[in-house]
Amino acid sequence: MKFATELIHGTAPIDPEHGSLSHPIYLSSTFAQGSMEHFGKYDYSRSGNPTREALEEAVAGLEKGAVGLAFASGMAAISSTLLIFAPGDHLVVCEDVYGGTFRALTTVLKNWGLNATFVDATDTAAIAAAIRPETKALYLETPSNPLIKITDLKGAAALAKEKGILTIVDNTFMTPYLQRPLELGCDIVLHSGTKFLNGHSDVLCGFAVAKDPAVGQRIRFIQNAFGAVLGPQDCWLVLRGLKTLKVRMEEHQASAKLIVSWLKEQKEVAKIYYPGLPEHPGYEIHNAQSSGPGAVLSFELSSYEVTRKLLEGVKLSAFAVSLGGVESILSYPAKMSHAAMPPAEREARGIKDTLVRLSVGLEDPEDLIADMERSLR
């Protein structure tokens, strides 16, 4: 099936009992057993639930993985996945990683004994130089958050395989519609499903998808042991959201391109970060591994005062955290997604106090442009 057809017919099969086109929501916390010797497929919803399983299989199928697991948030998926490693292990991580991941790695997981080295992952040689004997995985985002840096996934995955380590990729910005890291040689894909996969700003959720069933079972063990699972009602909402992923991403992306073209003409805009621009570093690599630039872009403004004026002046784009909803969202990384990163660390990574991130929604792009134009006057 083509991707659009798979979204409709492959992600939520027709209910075999009653023919319902909408997958049933199994709200039960526990399941009765008929035999002391042979338990049924489900016993307790932390360990497995039919609605959650349908969603997990759907996301795994879209990413072309063997095992998919649904969690209560993106950070629950990320943290649970990182718990497959042991104290004393080491990770090589892209330097402008999402702030929540940075916080988990530099506090909770560091205190537990998992170590991380942050590198410029656009440079495969820098990744190679950071690998130690105790390194167990590469942790990458491409495009990265919020500077939209591009990592060569094939090159990084080949390096990891040569060293006998895993490659983990946060694919939240691209979704499996635009980029499928497992097909490029990577081992684990992570998502904040709160964003584009669900797409309506009404569910917190996260996903981990493993290419190797054995790796998937290691994450499944952590999922069951720690219990940060996604509830069945939220699973059903995401199953519904997935059906429109292709049409939403196409519209998001088309509008983003128009807005970027407008931003290029604005004297108050000092720099634009968007992989659809030929001058964007990594443009050719991104085109080789993805089928589009996506709907998230960042830009620097001419001053802090202009930045404040835009963020506090817009009426259509929400000034808020998060991304990937039907509403456009303007975020301020320094005090939002990367607030957990110390100011000196942010500055060293190029995350300036004049940097704004825009997730383009499904409004008419001309209205969004007019709204920003009024705020920049």
Side-chain angles (χ1 to χ4, degrees):
M1 290 186 287
K2 300 291 187 182
F3 193 89
T5 309
E6 186 176 0
L7 286 171
I8 305 301
H9 296 284
T11 59
I14 294 173
D15 173 26
E17 186 171 357
H18 299 295
S20 170
L21 295 184
S22 176
H23 195 281
I25 305 173
Y26 290 90
L27 293 172
S28 180
S29 61
T30 190
F31 300 84
Q33 308 301 321
S35 165
M36 290 179 62
E37 286 76 26
H38 303 290
F39 280 18
K41 185 175 184 180
Y42 307 102
D43 57 6
Y44 188 60
S45 275
R46 170 168 48 79
S47 304
N49 176 281
T51 312
R52 190 173 85 233
E53 182 179 73
L55 175 60
E56 290 174 333
E57 290 179 350
V59 175
L62 296 175
E63 284 286 9
K64 308 306 178 189
V67 177
L69 298 160
F71 294 85
S73 70
M75 281 310 305
I78 291 167
S79 300
S80 296
T81 297
L82 295 180
L83 286 176
I84 69 174
F85 302 110
D89 287 347
H90 173 257
L91 308 177
V92 177
V93 184
C94 59
E95 64 181 0
D96 62 329
V97 70
Y98 167 58
T101 307
F102 178 86
R103 177 174 51 217
L105 284 167
T106 57
T107 56
V108 178
L109 293 170
K110 181 180 179 181
N111 294 340
W112 175 66
L114 182 64
N115 300 306
T117 298
F118 298 91
V119 302
D120 179 2
T122 64
D123 181 358
T124 307
I127 297 175
I131 295 174
R132 309 173 185 172
E134 67 271 26
T135 302
K136 301 300 180 185
L138 310 180
Y139 187 101
L140 308 171
E141 294 177 6
T142 184
S144 67
N145 182 10
L147 294 177
I148 321 296
K149 289 186 175 181
I150 306 301
T151 297
D152 178 359
L153 289 180
K154 278 189 176 180
L159 172 64
K161 283 182 169 49
E162 178 186 324
K163 301 292 184 179
I165 62 178
L166 298 174
T167 305
I168 304 169
V169 180
D170 185 331
N171 199 35
T172 297
F173 278 21
M174 286 289 98
T175 81
Y177 176 56
L178 296 176
Q179 179 174 272
R180 289 181 291 280
L182 300 185
E183 293 185 335
L184 299 170
C186 302
D187 300 288
I188 300 171
V189 170
L190 299 171
H191 283 277
S192 175
T194 308
K195 314 308 195 280
F196 289 110
L197 293 187
N198 178 59
H200 292 78
S201 302
D202 54 10
V203 174
L204 278 177
C205 62
F207 298 94
V209 179
K211 186 174 185 177
D212 180 359
V215 173
Q217 291 310 314
R218 289 166 63 190
I219 305 173
R220 188 186 298 279
F221 178 86
I222 299 295
Q223 182 197 46
N224 185 48
F226 270 58
V229 297
L230 191 62
Q233 177 74 40
D234 286 344
C235 288
W236 182 86
L237 285 170
V238 181
L239 278 169
R240 184 178 66 172
L242 276 177
K243 292 178 184 294
T244 59
L245 177 62
K246 177 182 182 292
V247 293
R248 284 188 288 108
M249 290 305 295
E250 289 284 2
E251 191 70 14
H252 285 306
Q253 183 171 253
S255 295
K257 291 176 181 178
L258 292 174
I259 290 171
V260 166
S261 295
W262 174 78
L263 286 170
K264 288 178 69 176
E265 304 302 319
Q266 306 311 303
K267 61 181 178 58
E268 298 90 348
V269 176
K271 189 172 183 178
I272 302 171
Y273 302 87
Y274 186 61
L277 292 172
E279 62 268 28
H280 186 79
Y283 171 80
E284 292 183 357
I285 292 172
H286 182 81
N287 281 347
Q289 65 193 20
S290 305
S291 58
V296 181
L297 57 118
S298 295
F299 53 98
E300 292 173 12
L301 292 158
S302 57
S303 69
Y304 182 80
E305 290 71 26
V306 171
T307 305
R308 177 189 291 276
K309 189 177 178 183
L310 174 67
L311 293 174
E312 295 182 355
V314 289
K315 303 300 182 185
L316 295 180
S317 297
F319 175 30
V321 299
S322 198
L323 58 100
V326 295
E327 320 80 1
S328 292
I329 298 177
L330 269 171
S331 297
Y332 186 50
K335 291 187 177 179
M336 289 181 167
S337 62
H338 288 69
M341 191 175 283
E345 295 272 9
R346 288 199 304 270
E347 190 67 27
R349 286 162 168 77
I351 303 171
K352 300 180 180 180
D353 288 342
T354 54
L355 182 73
V356 172
R357 189 190 71 199
L358 173 61
S359 171
V360 180
L362 299 182
E363 305 93 342
D364 190 296
E366 292 185 6
D367 290 331
L368 294 172
I369 288 170
D371 186 38
M372 289 191 286
E373 192 167 34
R374 281 191 297 269
S375 300
L376 290 174
R377 283 176 185 166

